[in-house]
Amino acid sequence: MDRHYYVYILTNRLRGTLYIGVTNNLIRRVWEHRLGLVSGFTRKYRLRRLVYFEHCGDICVAIEREKRLKRWRRAWKLELIERDNPKWADRFPEIAQSEGVDDSVPY
């Protein structure tokens, strides 16, 4: 049985505040962040734009990657995001559409 885990980065704007998380359901988790259902840091800073994600097949690998990214210098995180997403576009509509999910969540 294939398992899917994701390490992801949310922000509130171009080069804004960053949040790094891990989940087994990227669409559901980002949806929760966008609706403000996740209390704490992401709600406080309105971090709703998915700017980066990686797929991992193993939860231990995903958690270790999340921890490693959190220890990175900010400049390295910005470079990681900008390598594949130079305009800091919100990737949520793209992944939601690929799964047939309505991406019209209130921002």
Side-chain angles (χ1 to χ4, degrees):
M1 176 183 226
D2 285 337
R3 296 282 184 191
H4 300 281
Y5 303 96
Y6 300 88
V7 178
Y8 63 96
I9 301 177
L10 298 176
T11 190
N12 50 1
R13 60 185 168 79
L14 178 73
R15 293 183 158 243
T17 303
L18 302 176
Y19 171 80
I20 300 171
V22 66
T23 185
N24 67 342
N25 187 326
L26 186 60
I27 291 173
R28 175 189 46 81
R29 189 61 172 160
V30 174
W31 182 275
E32 292 169 348
H33 286 296
R34 289 169 75 102
L35 289 174
L37 301 176
V38 181
S39 64
F41 189 81
T42 59
R43 186 186 311 168
K44 178 179 179 180
Y45 292 98
R46 300 178 54 88
L47 306 178
R48 298 178 179 156
R49 184 186 302 183
L50 176 67
V51 290
Y52 180 83
F53 65 93
E54 297 176 11
H55 175 264
C56 299
D58 180 90
I59 188 60
C60 295
V61 172
I63 291 169
E64 182 55 39
R65 178 66 169 159
E66 175 198 26
K67 289 178 181 179
R68 190 175 313 119
L69 288 175
K70 286 181 175 186
R71 290 189 303 261
W72 277 19
R73 295 175 187 231
R74 179 175 171 80
W76 299 350
K77 295 172 192 175
L78 300 181
E79 288 175 19
L80 177 68
I81 294 164
E82 292 174 354
R83 182 177 351 142
D84 294 324
N85 190 359
K87 295 183 179 181
W88 290 61
D90 185 4
R91 300 291 192 195
F92 182 74
E94 157 191 334
I95 64 166
Q97 184 178 32
S98 73
E99 294 294 322
V101 175
D102 179 12
D103 69 339
S104 60
V105 180
Y107 229 108

